[in-house]
Amino acid sequence: MDENKIQELFGIPSTILSSQEWKEVEKLESTLGPDKLLEDIIEKKLWSNAEIAWVLRRMIFFYGKKDSLLKKAPVERLFANMGDILRVFFMLFDKTDPEIDENMRSYISSKLMDATWGISPRTRTYLYKVDK
């Protein structure tokens, strides 16, 4: 059964990961390899939604595994990277104002809560003490 028909019947919203565009990006990844695909995407001026999602997934992989080479990057550059990522997410979230089910909302809230470490008043107090 066609994915659009399933969505119509069951009210399940489509995602980028279920799109034909995503399947094509995955096919390119297996054909070219992830490094070459990333290079090709970066060379483009405008990226598709599937390409944006693929790059974000790739970033999660490297940041999540605490890549040893990435650890050598200047802290200022990593902060700049994070600022850019947060700006993108803020713009997307504000524009789409997505309907999010309770489980997903709980997951997002939990991850954002963890990510506020260092900017919340409680953790800033801790950091001031460590600095002394």
Side-chain angles (χ1 to χ4, degrees):
M1 183 177 272
D2 181 353
E3 186 130 357
N4 290 335
K5 292 287 184 198
I6 292 172
Q7 291 166 15
E8 287 174 23
L9 287 174
F10 298 109
I12 301 170
S14 66
T15 69
I16 292 171
L17 300 183
S18 63
S19 70
Q20 182 59 39
E21 187 179 33
W22 178 261
K23 290 175 183 131
E24 290 170 16
V25 170
E26 283 187 317
K27 185 188 259 185
L28 279 174
E29 179 182 16
S30 71
T31 304
L32 302 174
D35 292 335
K36 176 65 173 135
L37 178 57
L38 180 60
E39 186 179 313
D40 289 353
I41 292 171
I42 289 172
E43 288 178 6
K44 294 179 174 184
K45 181 176 171 99
L46 296 174
W47 302 355
S48 68
N49 287 352
E51 290 167 333
I52 291 169
W54 186 88
V55 169
L56 288 170
R57 189 184 73 172
R58 195 82 182 135
M59 292 173 73
I60 292 167
F61 171 75
F62 278 98
Y63 283 104
K65 77 173 192 167
K66 298 170 186 74
D67 182 66
S68 60
L69 191 56
L70 190 56
K71 285 182 178 181
K72 295 178 183 180
V75 172
E76 294 81 15
R77 179 59 202 207
L78 294 175
F79 274 119
N81 290 357
M82 189 56 56
D84 290 343
I85 292 166
L86 292 171
R87 275 187 208 92
V88 167
F89 276 117
F90 180 80
M91 290 170 57
L92 289 173
F93 208 77
D94 181 45
K95 179 165 177 48
T96 61
D97 190 17
E99 287 292 325
I100 301 172
D101 71 50
E102 208 169 294
N103 289 330
M104 183 68 77
R105 187 171 298 282
S106 174
Y107 178 81
I108 291 169
S109 298
S110 171
K111 290 300 178 185
L112 283 174
M113 180 180 61
D114 289 346
T116 64
W117 197 98
I119 65 169
S120 69
R122 183 179 58 206
T123 57
R124 289 190 74 76
T125 301
Y126 168 79
L127 291 173
Y128 284 126
K129 289 178 183 177
V130 170
D131 191 38
K132 293 179 181 178

